[in-house]
């Protein structure tokens, strides 16, 4: 008889619903979250004083950055005692410029991250209100000011410049985790507007005459507060220089760029003018082109000689390079005629679709709030006839954009099957349909398991199985990957802290392994998180982004309210078509509202397993898997069980005891 093997059967549950000791409710266990740092960055080679705010930042042990060139020590007062949530941050002179991650390590583990930017310009932090023309803060050209927007107000800055000077005014906001949607205005000394940018771009200002000028900044809807911070820069530039924007975080969609092995050695520059068919730039395939959607309404036209039966793959990166673009491509076969030419559409390429269904942002959870698709495109072109093939490339919203920094990278290649991975802490449907999009650091309580949802972009028709891994974990923490099936786009990694796991953290690595054309390859995955905890998605659109590293941590003293595992640590074997009964062991560290909890099953081939109940008042239960009903074919499987319960939670009991003793 053939047997189905449940290899390394792993069973966990997640306790989401909580009733605090006070009459209030939370949809998940408290997690440490870093919300703001002031200032939000600093100049390389300097030391800055940084003040933190956040949630559940209890017993902060250290402020940590994603690059070793940024270090922090607590600030102490005149008596040598630490100043609460205040650190002296040293930035090495050779620290890479750009965005880095800041996190704090607390008794509950490592917090969610906040962007900390490192630049080459002198930096200041606004110290007083500047919401009128009379209180405008002086700001030197070639400097950066860190500030937070005042609600229902306009922040004012003044600078001196000479006639003919070119000054680029930029404002880093959403790209450094802020909720601000900045409006930038350059005005004369009397406050009369001269140049306005309302779409998040920079203001490129040429000074008309010697004198003083004013920069005004406000939110698009005049919102404000600590979460509406920004980094305002004034930069001088040569007349013909392309000034890069201030560095920003990466969109979730950019996880799939670049393709493995992409080189810059044979880059072909797009050559203007090439808007008209008569100006088409001639290509020899394969090729790799660097160009831009500039000026407004730009249409870049290319031609190549196609041979019947050839198959080419065309991929573009523009939105995944951080640009606000929506590329579109039409490929046509062109047949010359005496009175002109005949054009036959071959294919039109637009967006890369989302690999898994995304959230509708409704009341109940119905998909992840992470968009792994892109407005870039990736598609196949099959040559049906010999002859000229013309490509017309445009930005669908480029008619009103005239920005030379709206660049793209266009690759035309033979099939190169491959894949790219991105993961995030799984959001589930919670009690009573509670709908939250939370920044969820992998901060584990002892005995707890966190599911990590993994999305895959399959490149050039690769459809094989992918085994998932999370490596370099702290002591006492293990990870089990539930593989991504052939042709599927979603998998799960379960990260578990044992009951004896010590307090600590490490920087983990997400990866996937697959067989591609007879070769076993491993691809490193990336990780995404919410920039802010969104507790009411009807009031705020979630804003996820990629993170630079993946810390996994264990809390100091707290345990999961309940942890469920098999009573026997073994591989279970069963004959195909029979039932398998697995005894479960329940370790409880909390009181629950209600006598039972309903569990569902996850794992390839087991999603149709009916939900079953376990008692919350006992230490043991069991699950029965009916392989006949599930029609499970022989093979090796890994399954897990998950559910939710309402548990009583008391915050930081050790801290209460310590405070009572001190009192």
């Amino acid at each position: 008889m053939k047997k189905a093997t449940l290899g390394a059967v792993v069973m966990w549950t997640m306790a989401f619903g909580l009733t605090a000791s006070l009459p209030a409710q939370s949809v998940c266990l408290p997690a440490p979250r870093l919300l703001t740092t002031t200032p939000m960055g600093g100049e390389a080679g300097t030391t800055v004083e940084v003040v933190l705010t956040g949630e559940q930042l209890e017993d902060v042990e250290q402020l940590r950055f994603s690059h070793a060139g940024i270090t922090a020590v607590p600030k102490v007062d005149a008596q040598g005692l630490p100043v609460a949530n205040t650190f002296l941050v040293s930035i090495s002179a050779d620290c890479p410029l750009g965005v880095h991650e800041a996190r704090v390590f607390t008794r509950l583990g490592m917090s969610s991250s906040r962007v900390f930017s490192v630049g080459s310009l002198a930096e200041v932090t606004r110290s007083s209100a500047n919401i009128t023309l009379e209180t405008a803060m002086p700001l030197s050209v070639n400097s950066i000011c860190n500030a937070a927007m005042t609600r229902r107000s306009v922040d004012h800055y003044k600078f001196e410049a000479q006639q003919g000077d070119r000054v680029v005014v930029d404002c880093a906001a959403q790209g450094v985790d802020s909720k601000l949607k900045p409006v930038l205005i350059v005005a004369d000394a009397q406050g009369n507007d001269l140049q306005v940018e309302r779409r998040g771009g920079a203001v490129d200002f040429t000074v008309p005459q010697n004198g003083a000028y004013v920069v005004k900044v406000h939110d698009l809807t005049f919102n404000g507060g600590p979460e509406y911070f920004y980094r305002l820069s004034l930069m001088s530039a040569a007349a013909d220089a392309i000034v890069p924007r201030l560095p920003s975080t990466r969109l979730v969609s950019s996880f799939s760029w670049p393709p493995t092995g992409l080189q810059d050695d044979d880059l072909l520059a797009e050559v203007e003018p090439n808007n008209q068919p008569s100006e088409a730039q001639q290509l020899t395939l394969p090729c790799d082109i660097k160009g831009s959607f500039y000026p407004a309404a730009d249409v870049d036209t290319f031609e190549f000689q196609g041979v019947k039966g050839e198959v080419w793959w065309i991929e573009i990166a523009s939105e995944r390079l951080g640009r606000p673009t929506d590329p579109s491509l039409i490929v046509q076969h062109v047949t010359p005629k005496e009175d002109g030419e005949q054009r036959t559409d071959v294919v039109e390429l637009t967006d890369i679709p989302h690999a898994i269904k995304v959230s509708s942002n409704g009341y109940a959870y119905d998909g992840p709030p992470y968009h792994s698709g892109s407005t870039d495109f990736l598609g196949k072109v099959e040559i049906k006839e010999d002859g000229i093939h013309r490509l017309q490339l445009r930005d669908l919203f480029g008619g009103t954009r005239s920005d030379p920094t709206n660049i793209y990278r266009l690759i035309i290649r033979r099939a190169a099957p491959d894949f790219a991975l991105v993961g995030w802490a799984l959001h589930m449907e919670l009690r009573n349909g509670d709908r939250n999009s939370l920044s969820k650091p992998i901060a584990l309580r002892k005995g707890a398991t966190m599911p990590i949802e993994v999305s895959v972009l399959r490149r050039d028709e690769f459809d094989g199985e992918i085994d998932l891994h999370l490596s370099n974990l702290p002591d006492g923490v293990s990870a089990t990957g539930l593989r991504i099936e052939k042709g599927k786009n979603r998998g799960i990694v379960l990260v578990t802290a044992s009951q004896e796991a010590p307090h600590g953290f490490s920087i983990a690595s997400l990866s996937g392994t697959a067989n591609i054309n007879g070769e076993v390859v491993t691809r490193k995955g990336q990780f995404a998180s919410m920039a802010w905890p969104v507790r009411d998605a009807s009031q705020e659109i979630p804003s996820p982004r990629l993170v630079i590293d993946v810390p996994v941590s264990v809390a100091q003293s707290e345990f999961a309210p309940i942890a469920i595992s098999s009573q026997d640590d073994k591989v279970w074997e069963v004959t195909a078509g029979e039932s398998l009964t697995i005894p479960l062991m329940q370790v409880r560290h909390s009181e629950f509202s209600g006598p039972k909890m309903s569990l569902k099953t996850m794992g390839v081939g087991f999603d149709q397993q009916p939900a079953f109940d376990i008692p919350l008042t006992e230490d043991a239960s069991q699950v029965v898997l009916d392989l006949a009903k599930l029609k499970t074919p022989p093979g090796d499987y890994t399954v897990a069980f998950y559910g939710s319960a309402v548990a009583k939670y008391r915050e930081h009991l050790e801290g209460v005891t310590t405070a009572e003793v001190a009192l």
Side-chain angles (χ1 to χ4, degrees):
M1 298 286 290
K2 293 184 178 180
K3 294 182 180 294
T5 303
L6 293 181
V9 174
V10 188
M11 295 163 222
W12 293 284
T13 185
M14 300 296 293
F16 286 99
L18 299 162
T19 302
S21 55
L22 295 175
Q25 286 195 340
S26 173
V27 294
C28 68
L29 288 166
R33 294 187 174 91
L34 179 59
L35 297 182
T36 66
T37 67
T38 305
M40 292 71 74
E43 180 185 3
T46 66
T47 297
V48 294
E49 180 180 311
V50 175
V51 179
L52 313 177
T53 67
E55 299 174 348
Q56 306 297 140
L57 301 187
E58 302 164 357
D59 298 346
V60 173
E61 298 179 27
Q62 61 175 286
L63 171 61
R64 182 196 174 275
F65 295 87
S66 58
H67 193 274
I70 314 175
T71 56
V73 295
K75 181 183 178 181
V76 295
D77 60 20
Q79 288 72 44
L81 299 176
V83 179
N85 295 332
T86 305
F87 290 81
L88 299 178
V89 176
S90 297
I91 309 169
S92 66
D94 59 353
C95 181
L97 305 183
V99 295
H100 303 276
E101 307 276 4
R103 296 182 176 89
V104 289
F105 187 50
T106 73
R107 75 171 188 93
L108 290 178
M110 192 68 78
S111 74
S112 60
S113 72
R114 186 57 70 225
V115 164
F116 189 83
S117 300
V118 175
S120 60
L121 302 178
E123 299 208 8
V124 295
T125 300
R126 188 189 62 189
S127 58
S128 59
N130 60 339
I131 59 175
T132 66
L133 186 63
E134 292 70 29
T135 59
M137 175 180 171
L139 194 59
S140 301
V141 176
N142 293 321
S143 69
I144 290 177
C145 181
N146 296 271
M149 182 58 56
T150 307
R151 185 175 176 82
R152 293 192 296 272
S153 298
V154 178
D155 291 348
H156 292 69
Y157 300 87
K158 58 184 177 182
F159 67 96
E160 298 284 339
Q162 304 299 310
Q163 182 178 5
D165 287 352
R166 182 186 176 203
V167 179
V168 178
V169 183
D170 200 358
C171 185
Q174 291 176 292
V176 292
D177 287 350
S178 174
K179 293 184 177 182
L180 178 72
K181 296 179 180 178
V183 174
L184 292 178
I185 303 169
V186 175
D188 61 22
Q190 289 72 45
N192 300 308
D193 296 355
L194 300 175
Q195 205 164 326
V196 181
E197 173 54 57
R198 300 182 182 276
R199 297 176 297 179
V203 174
D204 197 330
F205 179 63
T206 300
V207 178
Q209 60 186 21
N210 297 353
Y213 293 87
V214 175
V215 175
K216 305 177 190 178
V217 186
H218 66 82
D219 179 66
L220 185 63
T221 58
F222 289 92
N223 219 324
E227 300 173 352
Y228 290 77
F229 50 80
Y230 61 90
R231 286 168 56 82
L232 179 70
S233 71
L234 272 63
M235 295 176 283
S236 62
D240 57 349
I242 295 179
V243 180
R245 298 296 305 276
L246 291 174
S248 66
T249 56
R250 299 174 61 204
L251 300 172
V252 176
S253 61
S254 64
F255 84 95
S256 58
W257 182 266
T260 302
L262 183 65
Q263 303 292 328
D264 294 336
D265 300 339
D266 299 318
L267 268 176
L268 178 67
E270 175 225 347
V271 179
E272 293 281 1
N274 61 355
N275 275 40
Q276 302 302 320
S278 59
E279 302 168 330
Q281 185 173 344
Q282 301 301 309
L283 303 178
T284 300
L285 305 189
C287 64
D288 187 350
I289 305 166
K290 183 177 182 179
S292 66
F293 296 111
Y294 178 78
D298 184 34
V299 179
D300 290 343
T301 307
F302 306 94
E303 287 183 352
F304 67 90
Q305 290 290 331
V307 177
K308 183 178 181 179
E310 287 183 333
V311 176
W312 297 99
W313 287 84
I314 304 182
E315 181 171 6
I316 197 169
S318 184
E319 189 242 15
R320 290 178 291 174
L321 298 177
R323 308 313 305 144
T325 54
D326 189 354
S328 175
L329 180 74
I330 295 177
V331 181
Q332 296 177 317
H333 177 262
V334 180
T335 304
K337 299 288 186 181
E338 291 184 1
D339 56 348
E341 59 185 25
Q342 177 182 332
R343 305 175 190 176
T344 303
D345 290 352
V346 176
V347 69
E348 180 176 0
L349 301 178
T350 53
D351 299 352
I352 297 173
H354 305 302
I356 53 182
K357 181 187 181 299
V358 297
S359 169
S360 64
N361 219 42
Y363 176 65
Y365 183 84
D366 62 348
Y370 296 87
H371 292 246
S372 59
S374 173
T375 59
D376 291 341
F377 57 75
L378 166 61
K380 181 169 64 173
V381 177
E382 299 178 85
I383 306 301
K384 303 294 186 181
E385 300 290 341
D386 293 345
I388 299 171
H389 285 72
R390 182 176 297 151
L391 286 64
Q392 291 182 302
L393 176 64
R394 55 171 52 84
D395 174 10
L396 290 179
F397 297 102
T400 58
R401 298 169 176 161
S402 191
D403 186 346
T405 65
N406 283 346
I407 59 174
Y408 64 79
R409 182 90 173 255
L410 180 69
I411 300 174
I412 306 177
R413 61 172 181 262
R414 299 288 187 183
D418 211 331
F419 64 94
L421 300 172
V422 63
W424 46 74
L426 182 64
H427 294 250
M428 294 179 173
E429 183 170 354
L430 308 176
R431 185 172 182 260
N432 298 328
D434 288 324
R435 177 73 175 89
N436 282 207
S437 298
L438 300 176
S439 48
K440 298 173 69 175
I442 310 179
L444 305 169
R445 287 163 172 80
K446 301 172 190 293
T449 292
M450 178 175 285
I452 305 301
E453 187 170 38
V454 181
S455 176
V456 60
L457 179 136
R458 296 179 178 272
R459 185 173 268 112
D460 302 4
E461 295 184 335
F462 167 70
D463 68 346
E465 290 184 350
I466 303 172
D467 291 321
L468 301 174
H469 316 276
L470 193 67
S471 57
N472 195 37
L473 298 169
D475 292 342
V477 177
S478 60
T480 300
L482 307 187
R483 70 174 182 268
I484 300 177
E485 292 181 82
K486 176 182 174 67
K488 301 296 184 181
N489 298 317
R490 178 182 182 269
I492 297 289
V493 175
L494 300 168
V495 191
T496 301
S498 70
Q499 298 284 341
E500 299 78 27
H503 184 48
F505 74 91
S506 66
I507 306 303
S509 178
L510 173 67
S511 63
T513 301
N515 188 309
I516 301 178
N517 296 331
E519 178 185 359
V520 177
V521 302
T522 298
R523 299 290 180 248
K524 185 176 180 179
Q526 298 191 62
F527 206 80
S529 178
M530 289 292 138
W532 294 92
V534 178
R535 292 173 177 80
D536 186 353
S538 67
Q539 301 297 317
E540 183 177 354
I541 298 175
S543 178
R545 64 169 176 87
L546 292 182
V547 294
I548 295 172
D549 54 7
V550 189
V552 176
S553 61
V554 180
Q556 188 173 52
S557 56
E558 289 199 9
F559 290 83
I562 184 170
I564 301 175
S565 61
S566 60
Q567 292 186 12
D568 299 307
D569 185 14
K570 69 176 186 179
V571 175
W572 299 83
E573 291 191 359
V574 62
T575 302
E578 296 184 351
S579 294
L580 174 65
T581 299
I582 302 176
L584 303 179
M585 178 175 61
Q586 295 152 204
V587 179
R588 292 167 290 140
H589 290 282
S590 180
E591 299 177 35
F592 294 90
S593 174
K596 63 184 179 180
M597 176 168 61
S598 179
L599 295 184
K600 297 179 182 179
T601 307
M602 64 171 61
V604 175
F606 287 84
D607 291 344
Q608 300 305 311
Q609 165 76 10
F612 61 97
D613 293 337
I614 62 167
L616 289 173
T617 55
E618 300 179 15
D619 297 330
S621 59
Q622 67 180 28
V623 59
V624 178
L625 302 177
D626 189 337
L627 303 185
K629 287 186 177 180
L630 293 173
K631 300 179 181 179
T632 307
D636 295 333
Y637 299 89
T638 303
V639 299
F641 305 109
Y642 66 96
S644 63
V646 177
K648 293 182 180 179
Y649 178 81
R650 293 178 176 86
E651 297 191 47
H652 204 355
L653 295 182
E654 289 184 353
V656 172
T657 302
T658 301
E660 289 174 344
V661 171
L663 183 62

